[in-house]
Amino acid sequence: MDPEPIPDALEPLMRQLEEALSLEHKFRPFLEIPRLPRERQDVTIGIRDGSAHVLRCLKIWYDLPPDVFFVATNLMDRFLTKLKVKAKHMACVSISSFQLACRLVCGGSAPELQHILAVSQAKCTVADLVRMQEVVSTKLGAEPSSPLPITPYTFLALYHAFLSAIDRENVYSRIVNEFELWQLLEVVLCDAMCSNYRPCEIALAILCSAIDTGVARLKPSPPPASSIISLVSFLGQIQQKANISEKSFLSCHSTVLSVIGRYNAEIQVQHRQRLVWKVSQRTLKQLRPTGKLVTTLQTIEENGQLQIAPRSRNSSSSSNSDENWTGPTSSRHLPTDAF
Amino acid sequence: MSATFVDRIDPFAKRSLKKKKKSQGSSRYRNNADVELQSLPLLSDVSSSEQEELFIRKLRQCCIAFDFMDPMADIKGKETKRATLNELVEYVSTGRGVLTEPVYPEILKMISANLFRTLPPSENPDFDPEEDDPTLEASWPHLTLVYEIFLRFLESSDFQPSIGKKVIDQKFVLQLLELFDSEDPRERDFLKTVLHRIYGKFLGLRAFIRKQINNIFLRFVYETEHFNGVGELLEILGSIINGFALPLKAEHKQFLVKVLIPLHKVKCLSLYHAQLAYCVVQFLEKDATLTEPVVRGLLKYWPKTCSQKEVMFLGEIEEILDVIEPSQFVKVQEVLFRQIAKCVSSPHFQVAERALYFWNNEYIMSLMEENNHVIMPIMFPALYRISKEHWNQTIIALVYNVLKTFMEMNSKLFDELTSSYKADRQKEKKREKERDELWKKLMDIENTCKKREMFKK
């Protein structure tokens, strides 16, 4: 079956896609970080992913546009590619990348560094962050005036725009929800395994996965086969246009699927942030009511007589202390992490 | 603690002068003109065959009460009695074979004569146990020794309950219980230990004691809201609950639901909350199936206007959750976390803080993890809203912690909740906008009509 020709109305989108493809290589990270630390201060995959999760949470916290997270992780990963970063500086690197991304995307309405620092509980100062931002923007050429980096989001947004534009029978819009697309991409980019693939590949893999799930969701009343076929053929055209080899795409697709699989299985995230639980003095003083109890009287068995331990000559009149109430420990043990 | 209280009894304090009350003298106390206390030899100075009789004479002598409200009265007599009582404390503690059968009723008589009295009304008619210092018992120098003797008597290895039960009967116990309303904490502390020993040694009195304590508590909760000894009685109950045999008798379960839970609703809960919470938790450790009635009971009495009490309740809930079995947790999680969501949203920062601090408890976290499908949807809207709206920075930081924890627990569910919350908010905003536009249209119509009316004229 011949592929449908791309209508003229899509010309501007086409040009954007071509431009993105040509600039893609400039913004690609190439992470070579170990799973286990070889030296004490090595940044591991766990530390990188943990930082990505924090940035994701911050993006949700501040209700920022989807760009912010993708630009932030892009800056962070490219920085890690260029320079050897120590684990203890990871928080500083990620937070400064994040606020830099905010400024690039939102301009003046970006949240302040002090605020982000306070919320994220990162162990560095505002001065550290300001200095780090200088370093990051210099090393990566990311000035406020320069264009946004090309990230998988750039491509995913374009693919989505394409498919929405040619969706005459409202099939695509029933299958794919754009917020879910961005969420999937966020989840995938929180995993370092996917960082080194071409952004256009990752975006395509996510789109395929989303369409698969979407079609499966419509099982009781599936869309007509012809619409699905034309969707798939359009994806094939994109793959051709972007020059994505079958072999490379299969590898990327399977990696992306495994990450999405773990997400769908609702497994706990591996890299948990070491959180600080600060409460006021007043609350700390009265956490548990029985914390105030010092001694308790000797237990009296229901069916037996009380046997009192012989007391010393000059002991006071207070009750014999037999059991002390001790509550369980309340602090959480968290894995070591830069945060 | 005793040192500072004793220092506070100052007969020359202005307080006693202010009232300018002329002491009428009490019918309890003998007049000065009466017979002075006969001086008796020391027990250590007589032969062992004479000791029993001397002991009894001394006990009878100590039945005479002295008026401590008048610091000048009978100083010599008071001192004689004090010295005698002191001697008797030693005698009862260290003597072997001194607790002969004839001595039992004499000891009890002496104790009754000294202890059993109508407690005076509080000097401060608006006495607030949470705020004010208590009025201390003036005759404490003697009373403390009487209590000591009583205690050593009960705890002596020579003490025989079979003889004791003839003199320590229900009437005695009833009068003892009334003394628990004493304002003097030292007295209540002694009473607590004494009653604990009596309950421990006299199995025949146990049901009676439990019933009387029930009555005291019920009267306290539903009629008077006044009784100074609730904490001490609860402490004794704690040791009793601890010793319950399994399976728990129905009577005991009734007590938990009908008496202990309602004790939570009284205004002055802070005075005895520690002991009460201990009792509740002990019950749950004995029988986990009581968890549901306990939690539902607490939710029923959840404070609505008193934030301090709310913080106390939250502390107790955490202690309950510390020992809860996972199968029981599942039964109460929905209704409990709906309340917690309200607490987290409270504008009173201490309530919100205390509720959010639950997420710092490893065991509670593991329970939430297992049941995140139920709990996250309940908590999420409140948390997400507060993250944007709350005034207190500590709270905001804790909310971040909780949201981050949820995100790590189940990213997918978290994302779904975020999307649906946003979608709901968008719908709401749309509805609001439509409503505003509708009002605007109505106003325009009204204005047009008005103009037409004017034109016609």
Side-chain angles (χ1 to χ4, degrees), chain A residues 34-79:
Chain A
R35 196 161 282 281
L36 296 166
R38 281 178 240 120
E39 289 160 46
R40 237 169 61 91
Q41 278 293 327
D42 269 353
V43 170
T44 59
I45 289 182
I47 291 177
R48 180 262 170 207
D49 287 354
S51 302
H53 279 288
V54 172
L55 297 191
R56 182 160 191 245
C57 190
L58 288 172
K59 174 246 166 196
I60 294 171
W61 179 267
Y62 287 107
D63 214 356
L64 297 165
D67 280 22
V68 171
F69 176 74
F70 302 119
V71 171
T73 44
N74 180 272
L75 293 173
M76 180 178 81
D77 285 341
R78 278 159 61 207
F79 194 77

Side-chain angles (χ1 to χ4, degrees), chain B residues 224-242:
Chain B
T224 63
E225 287 210 9
H226 164 88
F227 191 77
N228 293 310
V230 175
E232 284 81 7
L233 289 174
L234 282 171
E235 229 182 293
I236 298 172
L237 283 166
S239 70
I240 296 172
I241 295 167
N242 228 327

Side-chain angles (χ1 to χ4, degrees), chain B residues 384-445:
Chain B
Y384 200 78
R385 197 183 56 243
I386 307 167
S387 70
K388 315 244 176 286
E389 289 176 7
H390 208 279
W391 60 271
N392 184 301
Q393 281 313 304
T394 315
I395 302 295
I396 301 279
L398 290 170
V399 171
Y400 172 85
N401 283 6
V402 173
L403 283 175
K404 183 75 176 31
T405 307
F406 274 159
M407 217 177 104
E408 290 166 356
M409 204 184 273
N410 187 337
S411 299
K412 183 154 196 259
L413 181 55
F414 186 86
D415 288 339
E416 281 169 14
L417 291 169
T418 324
S419 310
S420 66
Y421 183 84
K422 278 201 186 147
D424 286 343
R425 282 286 306 280
Q426 275 185 336
K427 268 190 224 159
E428 219 182 278
K429 276 191 182 157
K430 193 166 162 242
R431 251 182 276 139
E432 267 178 40
K433 193 164 166 245
E434 282 169 8
R435 190 188 298 159
D436 283 340
E437 281 172 11
L438 181 61
W439 276 111
K440 197 165 168 286
K441 270 191 208 157
L442 287 172
M443 284 208 306
D444 288 342
I445 294 174

Side-chain angles (χ1 to χ4, degrees), chain A residues 92-149:
Chain A
C92 190
V93 169
S94 47
I95 299 297
S96 42
S97 306
F98 182 79
Q99 208 261 351
L100 187 53
C102 290
R103 283 197 284 136
L104 290 172
V105 174
C106 312
S109 60
E112 303 262 325
L113 266 178
Q114 292 106 302
H115 203 268
I116 301 180
L117 180 60
V119 172
S120 67
Q121 300 176 24
K123 293 175 181 54
C124 53
T125 65
V126 176
D128 293 335
L129 290 172
V130 171
R131 252 180 287 134
M132 184 60 81
Q133 272 191 343
E134 282 284 318
V135 176
V136 170
S137 62
T138 317
K139 289 281 175 191
L140 303 180
E143 307 294 330
S145 50
S146 41
L148 291 178

Side-chain angles (χ1 to χ4, degrees), chain B residues 45-63:
Chain B
D45 289 346
V46 303
S47 68
S48 43
S49 56
E50 292 171 301
Q51 275 181 335
E52 188 191 272
E53 203 220 313
L54 182 55
F55 184 25
I56 291 174
R57 280 179 74 190
K58 290 197 181 229
L59 282 168
R60 289 183 182 169
Q61 208 180 59
C62 289
C63 287

